[in-house]
Amino acid sequence: MGAVMGTFSSLQTKQRRPSKDIAWWYYQYQRDKIEDELEMTMVCHRPEGLEQLEAQTNFTKRELQVLYRGFKNECPSGVVNEETFKQIYAQFFPHGDASTYAHYLFNAFDTTQAGSVKFEDFVTALSILLRGTVHEKLRWTFNLYDINKDGYINKEEMMDIVKAIYDMMGKYTYPVLKEDTPRQHVDVFFQKMDKNKDGIVTLDEFLESCQEDDNIMRSLQLFQNVI
């Protein structure tokens, strides 16, 4: 995701060389004009159903066009499989092992369980994470933590997520991590979230607990209107 966002900053205006004579300058002008027109054609190339995506997401048509170009730059085939997704995501965590967390994240993007993420999947999730309502963002996060998609978060799932996060951040972030630290974090999570103490966290419990936590609510606001 960040890799796609990073492509935006690389767009730069072409620099034309100084002309030696009128004929040379005219040739350069015509060549650059053709290149610019071709580039604009690429930018304006729209995936099928762009109007529908505009209606379904919180992005404008122009934003969707730019996002699509970035997506195609990273994934020329128009889809990304899990292995490629892991490779892209690993670039942002060079000191750790992001493969497990990227696996869970990929599954959250791949809502149809097709084994690949299309642009439509990507931009729908991005719209929620960046510009969705609080409930939409929390529901998406709950789905990420609900690894087996049974509608609940149990302690084993939360332990897997926490361990994956520690592995991703790496030893430079947690140099003296104790073996039982992930378990302690999971216990704190369930003490706060599991309202009826039945050993699982439901969506309603998750939504209620998160909205009662000022730190969680502030973190959600950091993603608001990033683009």
Side-chain angles (χ1 to χ4, degrees):
M1 180 165 61
V4 174
M5 302 298 294
T7 61
F8 302 157
S9 62
S10 65
L11 300 178
Q12 297 178 346
T13 305
K14 290 185 176 67
Q15 299 294 323
R16 296 189 174 91
R17 291 176 294 178
S19 60
K20 296 179 181 178
D21 53 50
I22 294 177
W24 184 90
W25 177 88
Y26 183 75
Y27 167 77
Q28 291 293 105
Y29 170 78
Q30 290 295 332
R31 189 185 70 174
D32 285 353
K33 181 180 179 182
I34 292 173
E35 290 179 353
D36 288 343
E37 290 175 349
L38 177 60
E39 184 175 5
M40 284 304 299
T41 300
M42 292 175 63
V43 171
C44 296
H45 175 68
R46 299 182 299 180
E48 186 177 355
L50 182 62
E51 289 78 10
Q52 184 177 359
L53 279 177
E54 185 180 10
Q56 292 174 343
T57 68
N58 297 310
F59 295 125
T60 66
K61 184 178 297 186
R62 174 59 180 166
E63 288 171 332
L64 287 168
Q65 290 169 346
V66 176
L67 283 169
Y68 182 68
R69 185 183 184 189
F71 187 87
K72 289 285 285 184
N73 283 342
E74 297 293 338
C75 313
S77 66
V79 297
V80 56
N81 59 30
E82 183 172 343
E83 191 58 36
T84 302
F85 186 87
K86 287 180 178 180
Q87 292 173 3
I88 295 174
Y89 203 72
Q91 298 174 19
F92 304 99
F93 301 94
H95 301 303
D97 179 3
S99 60
T100 302
Y101 189 79
H103 166 72
Y104 299 139
L105 195 60
F106 179 85
N107 287 341
F109 276 87
D110 181 17
T111 56
T112 61
Q113 299 181 340
S116 61
V117 173
K118 298 181 296 184
F119 175 70
E120 290 82 356
D121 303 321
F122 166 75
V123 78
T124 299
L126 196 64
S127 173
I128 292 173
L129 293 172
L130 296 182
R131 298 184 180 173
T133 65
V134 169
H135 270 229
E136 288 173 336
K137 293 176 182 178
L138 291 177
R139 283 175 179 272
W140 196 93
T141 305
F142 180 89
N143 182 63
L144 170 65
Y145 293 168
D146 179 17
I147 297 174
N148 65 7
K149 310 307 177 192
D150 65 352
Y152 307 97
I153 301 174
N154 59 44
K155 285 192 174 184
E156 288 72 25
E157 289 173 319
M158 200 63 218
M159 176 65 76
D160 289 342
I161 291 289
V162 171
K163 284 183 176 179
I165 292 173
Y166 279 129
D167 290 342
M168 178 175 64
M169 300 309 294
K171 64 181 180 180
Y172 292 97
T173 305
Y174 303 105
V176 290
L177 183 65
K178 295 181 180 180
E179 186 175 349
D180 63 342
T181 300
R183 172 61 65 182
Q184 292 175 0
H185 278 265
V186 171
D187 289 342
V188 171
F189 173 89
F190 267 80
Q191 184 177 1
K192 178 183 296 185
M193 301 277 180
D194 185 10
K195 300 291 188 180
N196 62 0
K197 309 303 178 185
D198 62 353
I200 58 174
V201 174
T202 65
L203 175 60
D204 288 341
E205 288 175 323
F206 185 80
L207 293 174
E208 180 182 350
S209 299
C210 288
Q211 291 178 92
E212 293 173 349
D213 191 309
D214 291 338
N215 291 327
I216 293 176
M217 297 307 295
R218 279 195 296 269
S219 68
L220 290 177
Q221 291 302 317
L222 292 177
F223 296 98
Q224 191 70 27
N225 292 326
V226 170
I227 294 181

